[in-house]
DNA sequence: CGCTATTACTCATATTCTTGAGTATGGTGA
DNA sequence: TCACCATACTCAAGAATATGAGTAATAGCG
């Protein structure tokens, strides 16, 4: 019952079709939620049935008909209820961390490569987040925007995403470096 | 099929019963994996059947008999295979971020409280991680330990956990502050 | 003219995770 | 002494997620 709140939050940006959501959802949530298209379509259907969102069909001449969904007042009420309910603890799951944790008992080479690859991915995300944030705050500087902008939620979560990815990139590079040094000295394994 | 790798990594610290694992797993994985006791018991049973770990019963006089599991050579081979397979992208899921993302459309009060609460939780984890790291590196300084310690995997992941929680605490406090300021100005909602 | 990519979805199945309830024994505090 | 907590697990059912395979039409490329 949590995906639906993430979907509601995403739809606050404006009405969207399942297809559009599916493409922007992960990035739009600044990587603090993830869902596959199939899940989103299913959830949107259920949410409409429950009255939290409302769909309207848009017939296109050259493309298949799509359904654009927007949050209803019942949806807003549900979000309010959600905001007031106690939050579950954050939930991180990362294969790469597991690999690093076990690195003393495996060969380090592959792990080093994956750390470097992950650093690059993180850097790319940093770029996306920074561009999004620049666009959001426009001419204002960050402080001014946060003090008086009228929609700061997405900006704030993006800030968290940005810092998370910066830490990820730093840690990956540093860890890769340390493991490489040791590989040079030791005989791998 | 990913929990099993996390369990294998956790068992590298030494043999452990399901019960002990259940208590230490989340913290021991520096919060980069999470599982409930029931999942762990089930997974341990399957892993033993698959030959990745080996259990031995320890009959205790005053407590129920427990089974201690340790990683077999097949388990090590599986870890090696895992280390070399391509990693899935990291996976974060956080209710609180969803709430912040939607905060412009809900009352901010409850969200502020949860941000502050989360900052405290993060601070407590920082403490745990720091104490673990001190214990691990002993007299050596960090650089020396990382260069020549013989088991650095858990330390490295703990480092990541530490920084993650520090960022969490900072961001939560900053975000709570910003929202409080705006609440003072605006009329909530 | 065929090939692939893009838009816009659906359905079914499988795996994984969570929730809730139970079992059994011994130690601890009021 | 009696309830409650800790140890040490098990089982079953349900919800949530992931995987894989389709459908169907247009647009652009060579």
């Amino acid at each position: 019952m949590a995906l639906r709140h993430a979907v509601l939050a995403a739809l606050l940006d404006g009405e969207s079709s399942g297809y559009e959501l599916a493409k922007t959802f992960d990035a739009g949530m600044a990587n603090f939620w993830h869902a596959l298209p199939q899940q989103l379509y299913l959830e949107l259907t259920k949410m409409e049935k429950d009255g939290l969102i409302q769909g309207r069909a848009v017939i296109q001449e050259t493309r298949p008909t799509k359904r654009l969904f927007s949050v209803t007042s019942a949806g807003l009420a549900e979000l309010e209820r959600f905001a007031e309910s106690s939050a579950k603890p954050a939930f991180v799951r990362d294969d790469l961390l597991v690999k690093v944790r076990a690195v003393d008992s495996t060969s380090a080479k592959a792990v080093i490569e994956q750390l470097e690859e992950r650093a690059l991915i993180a850097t790319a995300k940093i770029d996306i987040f920074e561009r999004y944030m620049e666009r959001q705050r426009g001419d204002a500087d960050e402080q001014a925007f946060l003090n008086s902008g009228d929609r700061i939620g997405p900006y704030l979560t993006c800030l968290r995403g940005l810092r998370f990815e910066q830490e990820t990139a730093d840690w990956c590079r540093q860890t890769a470096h340390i493991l490489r040094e040791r590989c040079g000295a030791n005989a791998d394994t």
Side-chain angles (χ1 to χ4, degrees), chain A:
Chain A
M1 278 305 122
L3 173 59
R4 65 175 42 194
H5 299 119
V7 170
L8 285 171
L11 286 178
L12 292 176
D13 282 343
E15 62 177 5
S16 170
S17 69
Y19 187 77
E20 282 158 16
L21 249 196
K23 276 194 304 180
T24 61
F25 188 71
D26 287 20
M29 290 309 281
N31 296 282
F32 286 102
W33 211 274
H34 148 83
L36 296 165
Q38 292 94 318
Q39 255 177 288
L40 291 171
Y41 283 120
L42 202 68
E43 193 62 36
L44 285 167
T45 307
K46 284 197 243 158
M47 287 167 76
E48 190 181 22
K49 214 177 60 195
D50 294 346
L52 303 179
I53 57 175
Q54 194 176 24
R56 63 182 184 95
V58 173
I59 296 152
Q60 301 172 107
E61 271 164 38
T62 133
R63 297 262 152 232
T65 297
K66 63 181 172 184
R67 282 169 65 61
L68 295 179
F69 295 96
S70 46
V71 181
T72 62
S73 55
L76 281 177
E78 175 59 26
L79 262 182
E80 180 64 44
R81 222 197 38 61
F82 171 65
E84 268 152 41
S85 72
S86 76
K88 289 190 184 176
F91 184 101
V92 185
R93 196 157 275 193
D94 192 343
D95 274 6
L96 188 46
L97 268 287
V98 174
K99 291 177 188 188
V100 171
R101 169 123 207 225
V103 77
D104 305 301
S105 306
T106 67
S107 102
K109 193 163 161 290
V111 178
I112 292 169
E113 274 163 31
Q114 287 175 50
L115 283 164
E116 281 162 354
E117 195 191 335
R118 176 66 65 84
L120 289 177
I121 294 168
T123 307
K125 283 192 187 163
I126 288 169
D127 238 61
I128 291 167
F129 293 156
E130 274 179 344
R131 259 179 290 138
Y132 171 83
M133 286 164 73
E134 268 170 45
R135 209 166 50 247
Q136 283 299 299
R137 66 174 178 259
D139 295 328
D141 76 335
E142 186 165 278
Q143 206 53 52
F145 173 73
L146 288 174
N147 284 334
S148 54
D150 58 309
R151 213 163 119 56
I152 59 164
Y155 193 95
L156 288 168
T157 52
C158 204
L159 240 179
R160 179 77 187 96
L162 179 68
R163 295 198 197 156
F164 175 78
E165 296 298 346
Q166 280 167 345
E167 278 296 337
T168 301
D170 286 354
W171 177 83
C172 283
R173 290 206 189 92
Q174 195 197 339
T175 302
H177 177 74
I178 290 164
L179 293 176
R180 242 188 284 109
E181 294 283 288
R182 290 168 61 98
C183 270
N186 306 358
D188 219 355
T189 10

